[in-house]
Amino acid sequence: MHIVKPARPRDAARKYDIITALGAYALARDKHDQRLVLRLITLITARYNWARNELAVGQREIARLWSVDERTVKREMAKLRGKGWLVVKRQGARGRVTEYGMDLERMLAMTEGDWSNVGPDFDLRMSGKPEETPVVSLPLKGDVPPPDVSAGTEWVLAQAILHAEAPDVYGSWLRNLERVGRAGGRLTLKAPSRFHGTYVQTHLARRVLAACQAVDSDVTDVGIVV
């Protein structure tokens, strides 16, 4: 399992990714977990200091934010500490609130199983796998027409998605891949040349698989032959 490092303090996109991961995790669970995570997300967006990994807010203020009493705050914060998502950095004392930090690595590790519910692009980005770009598009004359989807196979439907995402890449590398057959979850495509097939396998394999899975979740692998 490869877990990426938490966001740089000013990396706004990464903050949204972490919150999205928490939301996907919550929505896959019961109402109690959903409520707990919603409360955490609200606390994060309202009071968490990303730059310092610091959450310093009193129970009374949290109770007001969550519209609950302080007893509920104590119980919910204990649950979050139990998950390992909140860590006490400095215990509160007279006139000073408890200071918490967030263990983002722990959060990501626990939510990883639900990343794919957001989409293959999110799963790929969060897992820290290398991107398959840049992809070189070949010179094309005129607009690339969308594929004929009348056959209704998983491949022509996936081609329609790939065309919509990047017509130039579709026209250069994916339009001429032909469906050979299907054995269980493995879809086999034929490339017009060895170079063409190798390029698709090296640079576009995940993109092709993601498009196929978007129209048929039973597809688990795409093979390229010549």
Side-chain angles (χ1 to χ4, degrees), residues 116-171:
S116 61
N117 294 343
V118 181
D121 58 331
F122 183 83
D123 193 9
L124 180 64
R125 183 168 71 250
M126 293 295 285
S127 65
K129 297 172 185 175
E131 298 289 342
E132 298 175 312
T133 56
V135 176
V136 177
S137 299
L138 303 178
L140 300 170
K141 294 182 179 180
D143 294 334
V144 179
D148 178 5
V149 297
S150 58
T153 66
E154 76 285 274
W155 175 232
V156 297
L157 295 176
Q159 282 182 304
I161 293 176
L162 294 164
H163 175 272
E165 290 178 345
D168 55 340
V169 174
Y170 165 79

Side-chain angles (χ1 to χ4, degrees), residues 180 188-198 223-226:
V180 175
T188 302
L189 305 175
K190 183 178 180 181
S193 69
R194 185 174 299 279
F195 170 78
H196 193 118
T198 300
I224 308 293
V225 298
V226 179

Side-chain angles (χ1 to χ4, degrees), residues 17-39:
D17 282 346
I18 291 170
I19 292 172
T20 299
L22 288 172
Y25 169 88
L27 290 169
R29 282 155 184 82
D30 62 28
K31 63 181 181 181
H32 303 292
D33 278 332
Q34 291 173 5
R35 184 170 55 194
L36 176 65
V37 176
L38 175 60
R39 286 170 172 166

